[in-house]
Amino acid sequence: GFLEDGILVRDVRRTRQRYLGSWTFPWDVMAVLPTELLCLLPGVPRVPGVPAARANRCLRLPRLFEAFDRCETRTGWPNVFRVAKLMLYLLLGIHWHGCLYFALSAHLGLGVDPWVCPSSARPLRRYLHSFYISTLVLATVGDTPTPQREEEFLFLTAGFLLAVLGFATITGNISTVIVNLSSATAAFYPDAGPVRRYLRAWGVGGRLAGRVVRWHQHLRAQRKLPAEWEVLQHLPRGLRAEVAASVHLEALRRVGLFRSWERGVLRQLVLRLRPQVFGPGEFVCRRGDVGREMYFIREGRLAVVAEDGVTQLAVLGEGLYFGEISLINIKGNTAGNRRTANILSIGYSDLFCLGKEDLAEVLAEFPSARAAMEAKGRELLLRMGRLDTGAEAAALAAEAEAQRRLQGLEVALEGLQTRAARLLAQLEASALHMALRVQRLEGRLQR
């Protein structure tokens, strides 16, 4: 196929036409011509050896590199492919060097000295010896036979120089693969090293540093990705919503508040949620803190504890949510925007976090969800004795009075608008009448 406006076209007829008209077609034809058959024609000088007669096959090298580039960009394991390609280049280089070594040995005479290839009736033995000597020369890991002639010295020196270049290339490629692997891991998981060095620099460590290490180990073992929004930030909003929904939609549907919501709404909501992981014994929120987020439990268990931090008053499980009381304006709430309970993570807990501004946007779009949250929050406040029913009634009365006044103002405004429209119509009629009188007077004066 070929790309047209960024879309892969697989139509055979169009692909054929495009290929026949491209510059690669004549090169591919020349590369596959059976030029070795020219050695059999009478009167044609015989080319020494079939490989030299097939040198036109090298014209396919650009196509080979193009195929490698496409495979590397489309495969799901690009680093593995790079290593395999590097090993292929390495084996091919040793093979070619072994062929040159055998050609030089045949030119000098097989077995005439210890450096050249020994004379053997088995071609496989001669090839393995040539491959072995070339491996020693290019890898510089063993003692090679001492050269005896000038040609042997020059060939060995050139081989050592190629080995230096080859080692530099191999080291660079392997370093690139390692850096890519480290970068790919760091894109998903944070590194515990900077935090540990920070604690060590300030003389704080021990138990706290162990908690930091265990938290990072849990992220990697359970494949928790707290930095996933940084990974998806460059995608268009629609595609980012599709990717996030495919990962988190099922977890959102397990939250009781979202079970009746439509799929399209959840797709937009998932862009506002931020995943967070809390470790064992870690407080998600404390009583009296200023509330800026609410939380939805995706996995794990959390305990509502007393002021001593030990006594469990209730246990929250998967699908529940908390923290909305300090974010929504419940009339009669004496706590205001302060947290009303201590929430402690029993084990490792995977939560969704929704900010105050994002929650306001969601509740503005879905009044039924706001009513459900306010009802639950009012029930909890009554149970904790933090709901002033008198203040609630006064607030409701004040709201009703404000609503009544607003409706009165709207009615008065409509009346004023009606009177203004009538006056404007009268003014336009008077102006038209005056213009007609002026026009008649001007006609009389002209006559």
Side-chain angles (χ1 to χ4, degrees):
F2 62 94
L3 294 178
E4 186 176 60
D5 298 330
I7 301 175
L8 183 62
V9 179
R10 297 181 179 272
D11 182 75
V12 177
R13 182 182 58 83
R14 296 181 59 189
T15 304
R16 183 190 303 112
Q17 293 177 354
R18 182 181 179 88
Y19 174 62
L20 294 178
S22 65
W23 64 270
T24 58
F25 175 69
W27 287 91
D28 292 342
V29 171
M30 288 187 291
V32 298
L33 290 177
T35 52
E36 64 270 17
L37 298 179
L38 296 176
C39 302
L40 305 178
L41 296 178
V44 177
R46 183 174 298 276
V47 181
V50 175
R54 300 178 68 230
N56 60 317
R57 301 296 190 270
C58 296
L59 296 176
R60 292 190 63 85
L61 281 177
R63 303 286 283 172
L64 177 65
F65 295 147
E66 180 184 358
F68 280 167
D69 292 338
R70 293 194 179 188
C71 290
E72 184 174 337
T73 56
R74 298 187 183 186
T75 182
W77 305 92
N79 293 315
V80 175
F81 182 82
R82 292 191 189 102
V83 173
K85 184 175 65 174
L86 182 62
M87 295 301 298
L88 175 64
Y89 288 159
L90 182 61
L91 293 175
L92 188 61
I94 296 176
H95 166 76
W96 283 347
H97 189 269
C99 293
L100 294 176
Y101 166 78
F102 181 77
L104 180 60
S105 299
H107 175 71
L108 298 177
L110 298 178
V112 295
D113 60 49
W115 187 86
V116 299
C117 183
S119 178
S120 175
R122 298 177 58 191
L124 179 61
R125 179 64 180 269
R126 289 184 289 181
Y127 174 77
L128 292 179
H129 180 85
S130 302
F131 194 89
Y132 172 72
I133 293 297
S134 295
T135 304
L136 294 181
V137 173
L138 295 181
T140 63
V141 295
D143 295 331
T144 58
T146 304
Q148 305 294 329
R149 306 181 184 183
E150 290 80 358
E151 296 88 345
E152 298 172 0
F153 276 105
L154 291 175
F155 184 84
L156 199 59
T157 303
F160 286 148
L161 294 177
L162 288 176
V164 173
L165 179 62
F167 266 114
T169 304
I170 293 173
T171 304
N173 281 274
I174 296 298
S175 302
T176 302
V177 171
I178 295 175
V179 170
N180 290 338
L181 290 174
S182 303
S183 301
T185 303
F188 292 99
Y189 303 106
D191 185 13
V195 182
R196 296 175 62 185
R197 289 191 293 270
Y198 172 77
L199 294 176
R200 192 182 303 114
W202 286 96
V204 181
R207 183 180 178 184
L208 184 58
R211 289 178 57 188
V212 171
V213 172
R214 287 192 297 272
W215 184 80
H216 284 83
Q217 291 175 348
H218 172 76
L219 292 184
R220 293 177 180 271
Q222 300 298 323
R223 297 181 180 274
K224 306 297 183 182
L225 308 177
E228 61 183 22
W229 300 124
E230 286 75 6
V231 178
L232 303 178
Q233 63 180 343
H234 300 294
L235 295 177
R237 182 178 178 84
L239 183 57
R240 187 166 66 247
E242 289 286 345
V243 173
S246 65
V247 176
H248 300 301
L249 193 59
E250 293 302 322
L252 283 181
R253 289 190 181 279
R254 293 197 294 266
V255 178
L257 181 66
F258 301 142
R259 287 174 184 169
S260 60
W261 290 18
E262 299 177 359
R263 178 183 176 88
V265 178
L266 294 180
R267 285 176 50 196
Q268 298 302 320
L269 176 67
V270 77
L271 293 177
R272 297 184 172 95
L273 298 176
R274 300 189 305 274
Q276 291 186 358
V277 179
F278 292 88
E282 185 177 356
F283 279 91
V284 179
C285 60
R286 293 180 179 270
R287 184 175 179 179
D289 293 344
V290 177
R292 295 183 176 87
E293 305 94 5
M294 69 172 298
Y295 299 92
F296 304 91
I297 305 176
R298 180 182 182 184
E299 293 178 1
R301 293 186 306 150
L302 298 100
V304 182
V305 297
E307 293 298 330
D308 57 4
V310 178
T311 306
Q312 295 186 4
L313 305 178
V315 177
L316 306 178
E318 178 182 321
L320 299 180
Y321 59 94
F322 61 92
E324 78 284 359
I325 296 179
S326 58
L327 299 186
I328 57 179
N329 185 21
I330 299 179
K331 300 174 180 62
N333 181 11
T334 58
N337 63 342
R338 301 284 178 174
R339 299 293 190 189
T340 59
N342 300 313
I343 307 296
L344 178 71
S345 178
I346 298 176
Y348 284 99
S349 303
D350 191 0
L351 309 179
F352 284 126
C353 174
L354 183 63
K356 186 174 183 179
E357 294 77 9
D358 296 327
L359 177 63
E361 294 180 7
V362 173
L363 296 182
E365 297 175 1
F366 304 99
S368 59
R370 182 182 185 87
M373 281 189 177
E374 289 182 350
K376 178 190 172 184
R378 188 176 185 278
E379 180 182 352
L380 291 176
L381 290 174
L382 279 174
R383 193 181 307 166
M384 293 183 298
R386 288 182 170 272
L387 184 65
D388 188 352
T389 55
E392 181 185 15
L396 291 175
E399 185 178 356
E401 178 64 19
Q403 188 68 23
R404 186 184 62 79
R405 291 184 178 181
L406 181 60
Q407 291 178 354
L409 290 176
E410 289 178 351
V411 172
L413 180 60
E414 290 179 358
L416 290 176
Q417 289 177 345
T418 303
R419 293 181 59 185
R422 290 177 180 176
L423 291 176
L424 182 60
Q426 292 177 2
L427 179 61
E428 290 178 352
S430 299
L432 180 60
H433 182 66
M434 183 64 67
L436 292 175
R437 291 187 61 185
V438 170
Q439 186 177 3
R440 286 197 298 270
L441 290 175
E442 288 178 350
R444 291 178 182 178
L445 289 176
Q446 290 177 358
R447 289 198 298 270

